[in-house]
Amino acid sequence: LVNQTGNNGQGYTYQGGAGGNDLELNQGGDGNAAQITQGGVSDPAIFPPKGHDNQTVTDDPASGSNIAFVDQIGDGGIAQISQAGNGDTAEIVQGGLSNESRIFQDAGSSGNFARSEQAGMDNLSLINQTGNGNTANVFQTTSNNNSTVNQSGTGNAATVNQ
């Protein structure tokens, strides 16, 4: 499901791998851009350059059953989800001005959950997960925050409130 309303909203989706992936991408407002990649890496030019305009696309055929959700309302936010594992869930919800959030769930991972929710202005959130059964929640409700969560291994939990 992809819904877009408003100015300059761009949504990119790519699904590969073993299938069974679910995604939802809703955008409203000014100049938002969002990308969801499941089963490999395929990023448009506004994201780190991988798999666009004659660049390499990596598709992991063993990946599948991932769930991704992006919802952006407001000015100029950027959201990116890249999933190459199995049974991973990623959610991004953004509102306000100029927020940027990225979630990467790497190949070989499974059962990870990542959520980035930003309601302030000029926030940056990055979540990297490798391994199994990791949980990361980032809530940035004020302005000018920067958060990076790196998880590897099994069963780690992290919560950031700013």
Side-chain angles (χ1 to χ4, degrees):
L1 169 66
V2 175
N3 294 318
Q4 291 185 318
T5 304
N7 317 304
N8 303 319
Q10 302 174 29
Y12 301 93
T13 62
Y14 169 80
Q15 291 182 310
N21 295 315
D22 293 319
L23 71 85
E24 179 173 342
L25 191 156
N26 298 301
Q27 292 185 314
D30 327 80
N32 293 325
Q35 185 223 343
I36 298 173
T37 301
Q38 294 174 313
V41 178
S42 176
D43 304 302
I46 60 172
F47 296 109
K50 299 174 189 168
H52 184 68
D53 295 333
N54 298 319
Q55 297 169 8
T56 304
V57 174
T58 303
D59 184 13
D60 183 351
S63 70
S65 299
N66 294 309
I67 298 171
F69 171 80
V70 172
D71 183 28
Q72 289 187 321
I73 298 174
D75 324 85
I78 294 177
Q80 177 180 13
I81 295 174
S82 180
Q83 296 173 309
N86 285 295
D88 292 324
T89 300
E91 301 177 1
I92 295 173
V93 178
Q94 293 185 305
L97 301 167
S98 300
N99 290 314
E100 180 176 333
S101 183
R102 299 174 191 268
I103 297 173
F104 298 96
Q105 294 169 320
D106 292 336
S109 67
S110 68
N112 292 311
F113 175 83
R115 178 178 180 86
S116 175
E117 188 168 333
Q118 302 186 131
M121 297 186 308
D122 299 317
N123 292 313
L124 174 62
S125 172
L126 173 62
I127 299 172
N128 293 302
Q129 292 179 315
T130 302
N132 302 310
N134 296 308
T135 301
N137 289 290
V138 174
F139 303 99
Q140 297 186 141
T141 57
T142 60
S143 297
N144 301 307
N145 295 302
N146 189 344
S147 172
T148 300
V149 176
N150 294 308
Q151 294 178 313
S152 61
T154 301
N156 296 302
T159 300
V160 176
N161 289 299
Q162 301 185 124

